[in-house]
Amino acid sequence: MNPGRAAVALAAVVVALVLQVTVFSHVSWAGVVPNLVLLVVVATGLVRGAQAAMVLGFVAGVLLDLAPPADHVAGRWALALVVVGYVAGRVRQDVRPTAGSVVATVAACSFVGTSVFALTGVLLQDPALGVGEVLQVIAIGVFLDVLLTPFVLPVVMGTFRRLEPVRATA
Amino acid sequence: MAVDLFERPTRQRSGQGQQPPRGPMKRERRWRVTERLEDRGRPSRSLVVALVLACLSLITLDSTAGDDSPVEPVRRAVGEVLGPVEVGAAAVVRPFVAVPSWFRTHADLRGEIGDLEAENARLRTEVNTADYDRNRLKEYDGLTASAEDLGYSLVPARVVGLGPAQSFSSTVTIDAGSQSGLRPDMTVLNNDGLVGRVVRVTRTTATVLLIVDADSVVGGRVGSSMELGSVEGRGQLGSTGRLDLELIDSSDVPKRDDAVVTWGSEGGAPYVAGVPIGRVTAVYSSLRETAQRAVVEPYVDFAALDLVGVVVPSGTASDRAVIEADGSVR
């Protein structure tokens, strides 16, 4: 990944993070907002493969852990998004992803990401929450992420492809 | 499938040309494609291990060190940079948030008037029955006020960022920081009651832990009986968000609609005394637990937080107008 591409990816993550915290909090459902940062990581995985997505997932996760108003143990979102990057990057790369496969990937990644975050919380006893509430949050999260997929993924994936014309043909 | 044909000569020169004459082109293509697949599909093992270990060490570092964690300065630095960005973004969004409220139907408004009238009536009865308690409370207040100077001032601030529920913690960012005189462990409230406490400040923003967070524990006092207890959050935001009140004295049963106020901590940190928290909606007692457990509905609507006030000591230097204890603005 050259510096230019890395800068664009980082900028996308920062924009996603700020939007997620300030704008989408007004349209949250039971406090759950679309996880835009996760969507950016998934887009990277679909366009550039697991390696780039995992690195970006780590950086984005650390930002998500440290940026206000986060107050949980740092590193939890980082771990969750590294796993998300791996999962998204392992989707079949030899064909250009169809709309269906993108939506399925987002749903799977959203489920996996929020679950990993919740599981680390259970291990660390960070917030002591019931399984029912956690499952409800995960379900709403998956729904909202899938809902936002048609608006976010094509834009982000298109941008990444334009920066990487050779692989765009694959 | 498109294959980059321009690179082929280089490949052949590097030893791949010594293949049987039967269709070298085809073989060549297949080789390139599989290489690319492996290259893209599977990340190198060392990277996976490095990233996962980095995450785990970060988690360990932050969770074991507690308050003086080495992550804290980094958190603050990130806050210094992203805080103002969040403040700016929230300022841009704020005018549009009000748009849906312009399109409200007559029936909707009428319904709201009905609700408000009903609530008014309920509140009036509450005030009437609470007279005796209020008088008693006044005496105590007078005592404490004379014992020590309890002059609190409020720094007004707006909520600019709400932590997503996916993080399973209820925190918000407000647009006032150490420049406005804020420090960690200050009480945050709004028109309706107690909101939370400041956990972290940057120069221009502060992070507030809401009382509905599962980690939040507030010393509470039942207004009618002066009984003490602890109020814990359940980690749920929105209209269903509730708090649990556990009274120290198990023989005392709080009544429905009893008001719960803060008990207050020494020196007013993290919570000053007498801020309304919520009202009791149900009471449970179990044989196993020795204490009574009451469900408290918070007065504050945490899903629609906007303007809040942070309790600061009187005379705090601030970059904005401070509301003094007597109601004047300085």
Side-chain angles (χ1 to χ4, degrees):
Chain A
M1 208 190 290
N2 68 24
R5 285 179 209 149
V8 170
L10 192 65
V13 166
V14 171
V15 169
L17 177 72
V18 171
L19 285 180
Q20 184 173 325
V21 171
T22 56
V23 179
F24 283 91
S25 59
H26 293 294
V27 291
S28 68
W29 179 3
V32 185
V33 299
N35 200 336
L36 295 179
V37 177
L38 182 135
L39 294 184
V40 172
V41 173
V42 171
T44 313
L46 288 173
V47 177
R48 286 204 203 142
Q51 188 135 340
M54 287 175 75
V55 174
L56 186 71
F58 178 74
V59 175
V62 169
L63 266 184
L64 207 53
D65 284 326
L66 298 180
D71 191 44
H72 51 264
V73 174
R76 289 176 59 198
W77 268 121
L79 184 64
L81 289 186
V82 164
V83 175
V84 164
Y86 183 80
V87 172
R90 296 297 278 157
V91 173
R92 216 174 138 206
Q93 297 282 325
D94 51 343
V95 288
R96 201 180 165 118
T98 59
S101 72
V102 169
V103 168
T105 313
V106 166
C109 287
S110 170
F111 178 79
V112 169
T114 319
S115 303
V116 168
F117 184 87
L119 282 178
T120 52
V122 170
L123 289 179
L124 293 168
Q125 298 182 328
D126 199 0
L129 283 180
V131 178
E133 289 152 34
V134 172
L135 285 180
Q136 186 195 345
V137 167
I138 292 175
I140 299 176
V142 169
F143 175 75
L144 289 180
D145 288 345
V146 168
L147 202 66
L148 264 253
T149 301
F151 305 102
V152 178
L153 265 281
V155 178
V156 180
M157 286 170 75
T159 313
F160 285 162
R161 281 220 178 87
R162 229 163 290 140
L163 289 168
E164 210 170 6
V166 178
R167 283 191 176 163
T169 57
Chain B
M1 168 117 6
V3 171
D4 192 357
L5 294 171
F6 295 103
E7 281 186 31
R8 203 170 354 114
T10 336
R11 292 290 172 196
Q12 276 176 342
R13 232 176 287 135
S14 63
Q16 288 298 321
Q18 301 145 347
Q19 279 156 352
R22 189 172 47 88
M25 272 278 269
K26 228 171 191 171
R27 194 163 290 242
E28 181 67 33
R29 284 188 184 185
R30 207 178 301 137
W31 184 83
R32 288 259 315 138
V33 170
T34 45
E35 183 227 38
R36 179 182 288 171
L37 261 183
E38 277 184 0
D39 161 45
R40 300 189 59 192
R42 189 175 306 141
S44 72
R45 186 165 294 163
S46 55
L47 179 83
V48 175
V49 172
L51 285 177
V52 170
L53 279 183
C55 295
L56 293 182
S57 38
L58 192 58
I59 292 175
T60 319
L61 206 63
D62 198 26
S63 64
T64 50
D67 271 349
D68 48 316
S69 140
V71 181
E72 208 56 33
V74 188
R75 227 183 248 277
R76 195 187 156 117
V78 172
E80 296 284 5
V81 178
L82 284 180
V85 179
E86 285 177 16
V87 173
V92 172
V93 174
R94 190 160 289 128
F96 300 103
V97 174
V99 169
S101 64
W102 301 343
F103 304 101
R104 297 180 62 193
T105 60
H106 187 65
D108 188 19
L109 291 172
R110 198 168 273 277
E112 186 160 310
I113 289 174
D115 285 348
L116 288 175
E117 273 173 356
E119 192 184 350
N120 245 345
R122 190 175 56 74
L123 288 175
R124 210 167 285 134
T125 13
E126 230 171 70
V127 168
N128 292 342
T129 54
D131 243 5
Y132 172 62
D133 300 317
R134 182 145 310 167
N135 285 336
R136 210 163 60 146
L137 205 61
K138 219 174 237 167
E139 280 173 33
Y140 282 117
D141 273 352
L143 267 180
T144 42
S146 56
E148 62 175 286
D149 182 21
L150 280 177
Y152 294 123
S153 309
L154 287 181
V155 170
R158 298 196 100 139
V159 172
V160 294
L162 187 68
Q166 281 102 318
S167 293
F168 302 109
S169 61
S170 311
T171 48
V172 295
T173 314
I174 56 174
D175 65 353
S178 54
Q179 269 181 347
S180 312
L182 267 62
R183 286 193 325 277
D185 282 343
M186 282 179 161
T187 313
V188 182
L189 40 83
N190 75 356
N191 283 347
D192 299 320
L194 184 67
V195 171
R197 67 182 163 92
V198 176
V199 287
R200 189 173 299 113
V201 292
T202 71
R203 252 158 22 85
T204 51
T205 60
T207 303
V208 176
L209 182 75
L210 306 180
I211 53 169
V212 285
D213 187 273
D215 282 340
S216 161
V217 181
V218 188
R221 189 192 280 283
V222 178
S224 62
S225 62
M226 305 300 274
E227 283 293 329
L228 299 176
S230 61
V231 180
E232 288 169 30
R234 288 187 181 174
Q236 290 168 324
L237 220 60
S239 53
T240 56
R242 292 288 183 273
L243 308 164
D244 282 320
L245 168 71
E246 203 168 311
L247 290 176
I248 292 170
D249 183 359
S250 59
S251 64
D252 190 82
V253 183
K255 291 197 301 286
R256 196 185 148 88
D257 286 341
D258 263 354
V260 180
V261 300
T262 53
W263 169 1
S265 331
E266 197 180 333
Y271 295 107
V272 296
V275 182
I277 300 175
R279 64 186 185 88
V280 175
T281 54
V283 181
Y284 299 101
S285 67
S286 71
L287 292 172
R288 206 146 47 88
E289 294 169 40
T290 47
Q292 302 278 348
R293 182 169 282 276
V295 180
V296 176
E297 182 187 346
Y299 290 129
V300 176
D301 179 6
F302 288 98
L305 270 185
D306 190 17
L307 189 67
V308 296
V310 184
V311 177
V312 295
S314 192
T316 301
S318 177
D319 65 344
R320 61 180 74 191
V322 177
I323 304 160
E324 288 295 338
D326 57 358
S328 65
V329 176
R330 175 169 60 84

